[in-house]
Amino acid sequence: MEEESSASQQSPNPSSCAAPAHNLVPTAMHQDTEPSGTTENLSSTLSSSRNDTERLMSYLSNIKRVRKALQRDHGHKKKAPASVGVSEALAKSPVHSLVHFLLGKEKNRHVSSKVVTPWKGAPLSQETALSATVIQAIRLAASLNDYRLILRLMEATIQYCTQLNNAVTLEPQVLGEAVEGLSETSISLAKIRKFWRRSQHHFPNEISSREVNSMIKVLGKRGKPGAALHFLESIRNPSQVDEYSISIVLNVLRDSISEQQKSAAPEGISTHDASDDASQDKFDLIDDQDIDLSWSSSPCWQWNEGQSLLRNSIIDKTLPDKWNNHAFSSLLRLNERALEVFPRDHEGPILALKVLEVMQEYDIRPDVFTCTNILLCLGREWKVAVDLLNSMQNADQDWYPQPNVYCFAATASACAKAREYGSAMALLQQLRMENSTVFPNTVVYNTVLQSLHGLTSSMFRTSDSLMRGGRKRRISRKQKIDESIGLLETALELLAFMNEDEANSGCSTKPDRVTYNAILTVIASTAQTVSVSSPVWNQLEEKYPRLFAYGLTSWTMRERLVHTILDQMEDLNIQQDEQSFRQALLAVGSQGLVAVVQVVGRFTKDGRLATNTSLLNTAISVLADGGDLGGIQLILERMNKMNCPLNVQTTSHVIRGMGNSGKTSSLPVFLLAVNGNEDAARHIFEFHNLQFNINLFAPLGAEHYSEAIAVSLIARDFGSARRILIQMQDKRVKSSDSALEAIARSYALIAMKSAKFVADQCTAPAKQLSLGQNDTSRSRANSAYAVVSEIDNPSTYLLSLTAKSCAANGLFGHSQELLRRIHNRMLEEVASRLSTESSLYNPDQWNEASKRGVRKLHRSLLRFCALQGNVTAAMFFTEDIEYFHRKMTWGLPVDDTDAAPMFSNEIEMTGSGLDGSPQLILRSTPTLEHEESLGMKEPEWMSLLIAAFKSGHWRVCLTTLQFLRPYVEATNPNGAAAGSLSWNQTVVSYRKLAPALTYAVQCMEVRSQYAWIIRSIDDFIEWSGRRPPKEAVSAAFRILCRRGRGDEVEHLLTRCLQPSISDEDLDGASYQLSLFVSAITALHKAGLYNAADDVFIDAVSRGVLPLNLAKQTFGIERRFTLDLHGMNVAVANSAVRVALQQEVLSTSYDASDVWDKDMVIVTGRGTKSALRMRPVLRPEVQRMLTEEFYPPLTTISVPGNMGALRVPSDDISDWLAHQQQQKGVRMMAVAAVLKNLSTGNSLKVALAKKAREAAPEKTNGAEEDNFGPPPSE
């Protein structure tokens, strides 16, 4: 039999080989069978014919022998190479012979009842022998990449069974093997699916879940996750789907997630929970479940599909049967992968805990692998991870399994990601304890190390880049340095632990290539923050001396550490790979050419990496960052000697290096030389001293020209950029969108830097901050806008940057247009989500990085308006921001109309200003916006108020204060809104908001709106429960005094001092002193001396201002001494007047008494004056005593003391006599008033006086520009 089988293998039937390949499965089988005869005929036939079972076993033996030979010849590979010459034809011979046998040329084909005992002793029927032989033949044909042979084999097998009247049937396993075998060949997926559809009805036994799983694997292997989902949904028989089917689909979804994918699902795939209303209705009818499956939508569509599978299983009540730990582990791994690709927007930790909640609800106890996957999904939620690990270790519970070493590794990784290095080390120390039942291994340490270098890759992202985000909190440079040092120390400590555990405890913790590569990555990532001169290097050397060899060299500590690690890898026979040397180059790259060449010398000794272009490009890149053009030339020369090819990245690095080294003027010539211009090649060598072998460079592409232009623009070499642009036009090189974005970004950055302001801060209310614009800066901003307009779909970051540069240069029209493009783009995405989701859109689920970037853009644009005092632009920006906020809040679709009124619920725009400028009118009380809101908040309203202040629009200032009201009320220590804030937080918030009142009051001061000023100050006191800012109160004093309302100054002063002191630095003793001094000064300048004296007396009585009046009533010289040190002119004036008046009131003498006391007034010598030794008080006091006192008081200099004045006693006596006389006149007037009251004529006299005053008051009142006080509330 074996000889016959061998002969049949060597001469396959040509007719069988010539069958058409496209005939996958025959639609109708020709049954050339004879009717069954009697038992005697069957017995005679069996005795005369060869037993089919034995022949099938012979084929099985030959096919297995060929497969083993192929695996031995080709290194035990599963799939043999396609070009194996004659041996491939010989390898196919057993399969061709089997096909020839199954097609059967005999006239009679009968069922064999003989049972063959194979070599392992188990009985084997004809059905089993047929299935086993066909399966081995399929595997052999698949390894030879011959899908036509597999199709012919399946066709012959089905025909064989049909000729025997299906007395011999195929097992369903054959179909699964055929599908998997076809997937390993070059056949198209469409033919595999067609084969599946047409082959199912040829298997009498029902298709099981095993075959379904095989088809799902094939769809996943061919990169069709959507087709795998649809195929699973198309299975109507529940018995054909098991928990492994769901697990395979989830694994297919996980493998399809790529780093570059968008959040939207590909065409043809729609989320189940968004569109299946019937399923939603069924889910709403479930009353016996306490599970909340209203999980937030993820930007990863694969996770949404996996979540839908779980939800549908709950709806269909098949979850306990179809979901086991394998399925849940696959779902958690899908969640982990989605968290890696969408770290900011996918709520991985929350979703992992929700999955655990579902398992608890259905009492599906997790195994250790499921718990490990949950821990890996927790990200930086280290506290939750530690709690879960503690629950697993609790001996009193039996629901969680006992943790293994990988559970500890996942928990330590979460701690490391959260920068809780102490907790991570404590977990590892727990494993290293003697009584521990779980021992650490290399995988545990590598997991923590990889989490460390994954952390460094995201630690230094800029937080002001729109749509690419960064962390929510901004950290200072010192904090970055401390965190980098912590990462470095942790990595080295982990390496020391690994060596100790291996040497002392016998644990399998030997460092491997992953370990050392992770440590090198940490060193490279922290190189930009931890300088080589930092004292931490000495501390590390003392702690880990074995890691810092080469002590006798002049290398830096970082270089010594890197080379020591590379030496340890060689000592341990750990093969260094490309990643090892790349991270070493990045770690020492900042040290210069020598450090780079030392690393290059190490890997060029390795034959595998000697001509690795990628590694040499890394060396050129780090030298280009430092602008070391000489080092770049040296590396290029080495590449030339080693015949290492240069690629497009090499040219890009050289261009960047020329730009960083100040050689941008050589870039046009360099590009010409690379393009083959021999004159340019000679010119670049002779005049630019660049020794490049131009012939080695790869052909230039659009990205090289664009990068050269961007480098020239950043270096402000506009001539070179223009010449390069001309070269692009001559070569007809079309710039790609990415190239145009680089050019536009360079223009925008230059425009931002060249826009210089008169002052950097906008906190000085009395200073007009104007933009020092120039034509160059404006033209660059215009150029950036023009380039962005040419890009079909610019990135949101570029739109944001260009909008800022235009606003910085006063091009607010361009900024507004770009802002609206950003708004419309986000609104369109909201509309697309609404069209696919049945539930109401939740703005809290929006991309956090996008929201943070938009908020910063709003703030920047309004800040530029404030700096330039452009209230019109600020108003338009405010309208757009609020309109966009309402659209995003309610999820309305975008439209092309601009019919929405500005602030439809709060304020409206009018043109009622005197100059036709826009004004704001308050309609209703505004509310406090949420911190994550996209609308106007405290900083934006402040910028609008500053712009209105500089423009003189007092109505806008007044109305904007109302929008700041909820923020001010939140700082009230006695208010309900401040309950969630601490005392220090309210103080800090109030300090930020207090300048708003100052800006508004000063603007109204210019417009002489004293009534609105008083109302605004009173409201601010009521809202905040604190004393108003002194600058605002001083402005109110000035306008009230100019309008002759001295009495209101005293009332306002009293009201401002009524609230208790909330912040000693802000409204303490210095605050009271400043208020009294400003009030006295304002009254004095307005000529209201009596009111100024009253305020001064009030200040003295409160102990705020001193009245240093010393009396000497004995001795040879009797005098009074008044010290005016530290007082300004106004306060000194009031002090002198009050001192003399105090004597008048306190002296009981008549005209016959003689005043014999001189007065000495100490004014100082002017040592603290603006002009040294030129006093200010002395001449002012002399003028005051001469002009403001009657009779005038003369002054005499005190001999030997130029800082004092003496007022003679005779002059004082005359002035006191005059004051006494005036006092008598006033007393007579009082007596006359009392007489009128006693006779009853007072009412008549008062009415007559009012009638006389009525006419002139009407005339004067018409001429006054006074809007009057606002209506009382």
Side-chain angles (χ1 to χ4, degrees):
M1 181 183 67
E2 293 181 359
E3 293 178 357
E4 182 180 353
S5 175
S6 176
S8 65
Q9 293 178 23
Q10 294 178 3
S11 59
N13 192 330
S15 63
S16 64
C17 297
H22 65 274
N23 189 10
L24 302 180
V25 177
T27 57
M29 295 294 184
H30 177 68
Q31 299 181 1
D32 188 13
T33 58
E34 296 181 356
S36 58
T38 61
T39 307
E40 291 78 4
N41 295 332
L42 179 61
S43 301
S44 60
T45 303
L46 288 174
S47 61
S48 61
S49 63
R50 187 170 211 129
N51 188 281
D52 286 355
T53 304
E54 293 180 355
R55 296 190 63 182
L56 288 172
M57 293 302 300
S58 175
Y59 284 118
L60 177 62
S61 175
N62 290 337
I63 291 173
K64 284 186 175 181
R65 184 168 57 251
V66 173
R67 288 191 64 204
K68 289 181 179 180
L70 286 177
Q71 292 176 356
R72 182 176 60 253
D73 294 341
H74 302 289
H76 299 280
K77 293 183 180 178
K78 185 177 181 181
K79 184 176 180 180
S83 58
V84 291
V86 181
S87 61
E88 179 180 356
L90 292 177
K92 294 180 182 179
S93 297
V95 183
H96 283 294
S97 180
L98 176 63
V99 171
H100 180 70
F101 163 73
L102 293 174
L103 289 175
K105 299 305 179 182
E106 297 88 351
K107 289 291 183 181
N108 298 319
R109 179 73 67 181
H110 302 285
V111 180
S112 174
S113 60
K114 184 176 182 180
V115 178
V116 179
T117 302
W119 54 90
K120 292 189 178 180
L124 197 65
S125 64
Q126 185 177 357
E127 290 183 357
T128 306
L130 176 63
S131 298
T133 305
V134 172
I135 288 173
Q136 291 297 324
I138 290 173
R139 293 176 180 175
L140 176 58
S143 65
L144 297 172
N145 192 18
D146 193 343
Y147 69 87
R148 292 180 178 87
L149 185 56
I150 297 176
L151 295 176
R152 283 186 51 78
L153 176 63
M154 290 298 299
E155 178 183 356
T157 304
I158 293 174
Q159 183 176 345
Y160 174 80
C161 295
T162 305
Q163 289 176 353
L164 298 178
N165 294 326
N166 291 326
V168 176
T169 59
L170 278 177
E171 297 179 0
Q173 181 185 358
V174 176
L175 178 60
E177 289 286 345
V179 169
E180 293 186 3
L182 289 172
S183 67
E184 297 177 6
T185 65
S186 58
I187 191 175
S188 65
L189 181 61
K191 290 183 178 180
I192 297 177
R193 299 172 73 174
K194 182 179 179 181
F195 170 78
W196 171 271
R197 290 193 301 268
R198 299 182 61 179
S199 300
Q200 295 184 62
H201 65 278
H202 292 292
F203 290 85
N205 296 330
E206 185 177 338
I207 301 298
S208 66
S209 59
R210 181 174 180 177
E211 290 69 49
V212 172
N213 295 345
S214 298
M215 189 61 189
I216 296 175
K217 290 179 182 178
V218 170
L219 294 173
K221 186 185 298 183
R222 292 299 179 97
K224 298 293 182 182
L229 277 171
H230 294 160
F231 177 78
L232 181 64
E233 295 170 355
S234 65
I235 304 299
R236 301 303 178 188
N237 189 347
S239 63
Q240 294 180 349
V241 178
D242 59 4
E243 56 269 18
Y244 297 101
S245 306
I246 297 176
S247 177
I248 294 171
V249 170
L250 293 173
N251 291 333
V252 169
L253 290 174
R254 180 198 63 194
D255 296 338
S256 66
I257 302 176
S258 62
E259 297 290 342
Q260 295 79 22
Q261 80 171 42
K262 298 180 181 179
S263 59
E267 185 177 358
I269 298 179
S270 60
T271 55
H272 298 72
D273 59 339
S275 58
D276 195 352
D277 296 335
S279 297
Q280 178 65 36
D281 295 338
K282 282 197 271 183
F283 183 71
D284 294 338
L285 295 176
I286 298 177
D287 298 329
D288 58 343
Q289 302 297 339
D290 297 329
I291 305 173
D292 180 18
L293 280 183
S294 58
W295 299 354
S296 60
S297 178
S298 170
C300 180
W301 67 267
Q302 290 93 338
W303 165 258
N304 294 334
E305 293 294 337
Q307 174 181 319
S308 298
L309 289 176
L310 178 62
R311 175 174 178 154
N312 293 336
S313 298
I314 294 178
I315 294 174
D316 300 336
K317 297 183 178 180
T318 60
L319 187 140
D321 300 330
K322 303 300 181 184
W323 287 75
N324 61 1
N325 275 286
H326 290 283
F328 280 109
S329 294
S330 299
L331 182 63
L332 290 167
R333 287 196 295 269
L334 173 60
N335 182 32
E336 180 187 3
R337 177 60 180 163
L339 183 62
E340 292 177 0
V341 179
F342 302 94
R344 296 182 181 85
D345 309 318
H346 182 77
E347 299 177 351
I350 297 176
L351 295 172
L353 295 178
K354 286 183 176 292
V355 171
L356 181 60
E357 180 184 350
V358 173
M359 298 182 70
Q360 292 174 342
E361 181 67 24
Y362 286 90
D363 196 23
I364 301 176
R365 298 189 178 186
D367 57 15
V368 69
F369 301 105
T370 305
C371 292
T372 303
N373 289 319
I374 293 174
L375 291 169
L376 290 173
C377 291
L378 292 178
R380 298 183 179 181
E381 299 297 332
W382 67 277
K383 291 184 178 179
V384 181
V386 172
D387 291 342
L388 180 57
L389 183 64
N390 293 335
S391 299
M392 297 175 67
Q393 292 178 289
N394 188 2
D396 297 334
Q397 60 87 28
D398 58 353
W399 200 78
Y400 289 108
Q402 288 297 313
N404 61 6
V405 65
Y406 300 103
C407 295
F408 281 91
T411 308
S413 175
C415 295
K417 291 177 182 178
R419 296 182 174 85
E420 293 292 334
Y421 309 122
S423 301
M425 290 301 173
L427 289 172
L428 294 178
Q429 291 287 6
Q430 184 177 349
L431 293 177
R432 302 176 70 212
M433 295 176 63
E434 295 182 357
N435 58 352
S436 175
T437 58
V438 181
F439 303 100
N441 57 17
T442 304
V443 177
V444 176
Y445 285 105
N446 287 347
T447 302
V448 181
L449 283 171
Q450 288 176 326
S451 65
L452 290 179
H453 76 72
L455 182 63
T456 58
S457 63
S458 61
M459 188 171 63
F460 307 110
R461 294 173 181 168
T462 56
S463 57
D464 59 345
S465 297
L466 189 63
M467 295 304 233
R468 48 183 200 178
R471 295 164 54 195
K472 288 186 178 181
R473 65 182 183 95
R474 288 189 175 185
I475 59 177
S476 63
R477 177 167 178 79
K478 184 179 182 303
Q479 289 174 316
K480 289 182 180 180
I481 293 174
D482 294 340
E483 290 182 359
S484 299
I485 292 174
L487 288 173
L488 191 59
E489 291 178 341
T490 304
L492 298 183
E493 188 173 4
L494 288 173
L495 180 60
F497 283 172
M498 296 178 73
N499 293 324
E500 290 178 8
D501 292 344
E502 183 190 13
N504 302 331
S505 304
C507 298
S508 179
T509 59
K510 182 180 180 180
D512 57 7
R513 183 166 55 222
V514 177
T515 306
Y516 287 110
N517 285 353
I519 294 175
L520 288 172
T521 304
V522 172
I523 299 172
S525 301
T526 57
Q528 56 182 325
T529 51
V530 183
S531 63
V532 294
S533 60
S534 175
V536 70
W537 291 109
N538 296 326
Q539 300 173 6
L540 292 176
E541 184 183 17
E542 294 177 0
K543 192 173 182 180
Y544 311 106
R546 296 181 57 188
L547 296 177
F548 291 89
Y550 303 96
L552 299 179
T553 63
S554 59
W555 294 352
T556 63
M557 289 292 188
R558 184 181 290 116
E559 293 178 73
R560 292 170 56 188
L561 176 60
V562 169
H563 285 280
T564 303
I565 290 176
L566 294 176
D567 289 343
Q568 288 187 5
M569 295 179 71
E570 295 177 357
D571 296 339
L572 296 174
N573 294 324
I574 298 175
Q575 192 176 39
Q576 299 155 341
D577 59 0
E578 183 178 336
Q579 178 73 6
S580 307
F581 289 110
R582 175 175 289 107
Q583 297 304 325
L585 286 170
L586 294 175
V588 303
S590 60
Q591 307 305 311
L593 176 61
V594 177
V596 173
V597 169
Q598 288 166 353
V599 178
V600 171
R602 295 185 73 116
F603 70 77
T604 51
K605 296 178 183 178
D606 190 343
R608 300 174 299 106
L609 304 174
T611 58
N612 190 303
T613 305
S614 177
L615 276 178
L616 292 171
N617 280 344
T618 304
I620 296 175
S621 177
V622 296
L623 293 174
D625 292 338
D628 191 350
L629 199 56
I632 294 175
Q633 296 181 39
L634 182 62
I635 299 297
L636 291 175
E637 183 179 354
R638 182 184 288 264
M639 294 176 71
N640 185 20
K641 291 180 180 179
M642 295 186 301
N643 296 324
C644 181
L646 277 63
N647 55 20
V648 292
Q649 285 79 17
T650 310
T651 308
S652 298
H653 296 327
V654 172
I655 291 173
R656 182 160 49 87
M658 294 175 66
N660 292 336
S661 63
K663 290 279 189 178
T664 53
S665 59
S666 304
L667 283 174
V669 185
F670 172 74
L671 297 177
L672 283 174
V674 175
N675 278 325
N677 192 315
E678 296 181 358
D679 294 335
R682 289 193 300 270
H683 187 80
I684 198 172
F685 175 73
E686 296 173 358
F687 295 95
H688 296 272
N689 195 24
L690 296 177
Q691 300 178 4
F692 292 150
N693 190 347
I694 301 299
N695 299 326
L696 297 178
F697 285 94
L700 296 177
E703 65 275 10
H704 297 120
Y705 288 100
S706 303
E707 185 166 2
I709 292 175
V711 167
S712 301
L713 291 176
I714 292 175
R716 301 190 180 184
D717 189 354
F718 300 100
S720 297
R722 183 178 58 83
R723 288 192 291 273
I724 297 171
L725 184 60
I726 293 175
Q727 288 187 35
M728 291 184 66
Q729 296 172 353
D730 293 341
K731 296 291 182 180
R732 296 182 180 179
V733 178
K734 184 178 180 181
S735 298
S736 60
D737 286 348
S738 59
L740 291 176
E741 285 203 10
I743 296 173
R745 185 166 57 249
S746 302
Y747 271 123
L749 290 173
I750 296 170
M752 288 280 289
K753 292 179 181 178
S754 59
K756 301 297 183 181
F757 294 93
V758 174
D760 295 330
Q761 301 294 332
C762 53
T763 56
K767 184 186 296 184
Q768 175 68 26
L769 303 181
S770 60
L771 182 64
Q773 300 166 355
N774 53 69
D775 294 338
T776 304
S777 179
R778 277 178 174 269
S779 64
R780 292 167 187 168
N782 264 320
S783 298
Y785 173 77
V787 175
V788 170
S789 301
E790 296 295 328
I791 303 175
D792 294 334
N793 189 22
S795 64
T796 310
Y797 167 71
L798 179 61
L799 292 175
S800 172
L801 181 62
T802 308
K804 292 178 185 178
S805 65
C806 291
N809 290 277
L811 303 175
F812 292 107
H814 294 341
S815 297
Q816 187 179 18
E817 179 183 347
L818 296 173
L819 178 63
R820 289 180 176 178
R821 289 182 65 178
I822 296 174
H823 288 173
N824 291 336
R825 176 176 296 182
M826 298 181 71
L827 289 171
E828 287 172 358
E829 186 167 349
V830 172
S832 65
R833 290 193 179 189
L834 285 173
S835 63
T836 57
E837 295 183 7
S838 58
S839 59
L840 185 63
Y841 173 70
N842 186 0
D844 294 335
Q845 300 173 4
W846 182 253
N847 186 311
E848 178 58 32
S850 302
K851 293 196 297 184
R852 186 166 55 251
V854 170
R855 287 195 295 267
K856 291 179 179 179
L857 176 60
H858 294 166
R859 193 166 303 175
S860 298
L861 295 180
L862 285 171
R863 182 176 178 272
F864 286 128
C865 294
L867 289 171
Q868 301 173 54
N870 194 322
V871 67
T872 303
M875 292 288 295
F876 284 125
F877 282 135
T878 303
E879 177 185 4
D880 290 341
I881 292 171
E882 285 298 301
Y883 179 64
F884 169 70
H885 170 54
R886 277 159 178 75
K887 285 282 194 177
M888 290 293 292
T889 302
W890 295 102
L892 300 178
V894 64
D895 52 20
D896 297 330
T897 61
D898 295 330
M902 177 182 179
F903 294 37
S904 55
N905 294 329
E906 284 87 6
I907 59 177
E908 65 179 3
M909 292 184 64
T910 66
S912 59
L914 297 177
D915 55 353
S917 59
Q919 307 292 337
L920 295 180
I921 297 178
L922 186 68
R923 281 182 161 180
S924 62
T925 303
T927 58
L928 183 66
E929 291 290 351
H930 191 265
E931 180 65 25
E932 303 298 327
S933 170
L934 295 175
M936 297 280 291
K937 293 188 291 298
E938 170 196 344
E940 288 82 0
W941 289 120
M942 287 288 294
S943 297
L944 175 61
L945 194 146
I946 294 171
F949 153 69
K950 293 180 180 180
S951 302
H953 291 281
W954 66 272
R955 289 187 178 87
V956 179
C957 293
L958 183 63
T959 308
T960 307
L961 279 179
Q962 301 297 321
F963 287 97
L964 288 171
R965 174 179 178 176
Y967 301 97
V968 178
E969 289 178 341
T971 65
N972 193 329
N974 302 321
S980 59
L981 299 177
S982 64
W983 177 265
N984 293 332
Q985 288 176 330
T986 59
V987 172
V988 172
S989 299
Y990 180 76
R991 288 185 177 182
K992 294 179 180 178
L993 292 166
L997 180 63
T998 302
Y999 294 129
V1001 169
Q1002 288 178 349
C1003 182
M1004 288 185 280
E1005 177 193 3
V1006 176
R1007 297 296 183 178
S1008 191
Q1009 300 297 323
Y1010 65 88
W1012 284 111
I1013 289 176
I1014 296 176
R1015 172 65 182 273
S1016 299
I1017 294 176
D1018 290 340
D1019 289 345
F1020 209 83
I1021 295 174
E1022 178 183 355
W1023 299 342
S1024 64
R1026 303 170 186 267
R1027 297 178 174 181
K1030 56 186 178 183
E1031 295 84 0
V1033 180
S1034 299
F1037 289 160
R1038 291 193 295 269
I1039 184 59
L1040 289 174
C1041 292
R1042 286 201 298 268
R1043 300 302 294 266
R1045 298 180 176 270
D1047 53 341
E1048 294 190 13
V1049 171
E1050 300 180 30
H1051 298 326
L1052 179 61
L1053 181 62
T1054 303
R1055 291 198 301 274
C1056 291
L1057 296 177
Q1058 281 181 354
S1060 59
I1061 298 175
S1062 59
D1063 183 6
E1064 187 64 34
D1065 297 335
L1066 193 64
D1067 54 7
S1070 60
Y1071 175 85
Q1072 300 183 46
L1073 176 62
S1074 177
L1075 250 61
F1076 277 106
V1077 171
S1078 59
I1080 295 171
T1081 303
L1083 291 169
H1084 174 77
K1085 290 182 178 179
L1088 304 175
Y1089 301 119
N1090 292 331
D1093 295 346
D1094 294 339
V1095 174
F1096 180 82
I1097 293 173
D1098 188 13
V1100 172
S1101 63
R1102 291 173 180 261
V1104 178
L1105 288 175
L1107 182 60
N1108 298 323
L1109 184 62
K1111 300 180 181 180
Q1112 184 176 344
T1113 58
F1114 58 88
I1116 303 175
E1117 183 179 5
R1118 303 173 62 197
R1119 65 181 184 185
F1120 285 90
T1121 303
L1122 178 62
D1123 191 356
L1124 302 180
H1125 273 107
M1127 299 181 182
N1128 63 6
V1129 174
V1131 177
N1133 190 326
S1134 296
V1136 173
R1137 292 168 56 87
V1138 169
L1140 292 175
Q1141 290 173 359
Q1142 180 178 346
E1143 288 305 313
V1144 172
L1145 296 175
S1146 61
T1147 303
S1148 56
Y1149 70 95
D1150 53 23
S1152 60
D1153 292 336
V1154 178
W1155 181 274
D1156 59 352
K1157 304 183 187 68
D1158 293 343
M1159 174 176 281
V1160 176
I1161 302 176
V1162 180
T1163 61
R1165 295 178 296 175
T1167 56
K1168 295 183 180 181
S1169 301
L1171 298 176
R1172 184 173 175 80
M1173 303 309 293
R1174 294 187 181 182
V1176 177
L1177 278 180
R1178 179 185 175 93
E1180 183 61 26
V1181 170
Q1182 288 178 319
R1183 183 202 62 78
M1184 175 190 65
L1185 294 175
T1186 304
E1187 298 179 1
E1188 299 179 10
F1189 284 79
Y1190 184 83
L1193 298 177
T1194 60
T1195 57
I1196 305 172
S1197 298
V1198 177
N1201 188 356
M1202 295 301 297
L1205 294 173
R1206 181 187 295 275
V1207 181
S1209 59
D1210 295 339
D1211 292 350
I1212 297 176
S1213 178
D1214 294 341
W1215 183 79
L1216 289 175
H1218 178 73
Q1219 293 297 318
Q1220 190 70 18
Q1221 182 181 0
Q1222 294 298 321
K1223 182 178 180 181
V1225 172
R1226 288 193 293 272
M1227 292 299 295
M1228 294 298 294
V1230 171
V1233 171
L1234 294 176
K1235 181 179 180 181
N1236 291 335
L1237 291 174
S1238 62
T1239 58
N1241 296 329
S1242 59
L1243 181 59
K1244 183 177 180 180
V1245 174
L1247 291 175
K1249 183 178 180 181
K1250 280 291 184 182
R1252 289 193 302 270
E1253 294 176 354
E1257 285 184 358
K1258 289 181 180 180
T1259 305
N1260 296 335
E1263 295 176 356
E1264 289 183 356
D1265 181 18
N1266 183 11
F1267 289 89
S1272 60
E1273 294 181 354

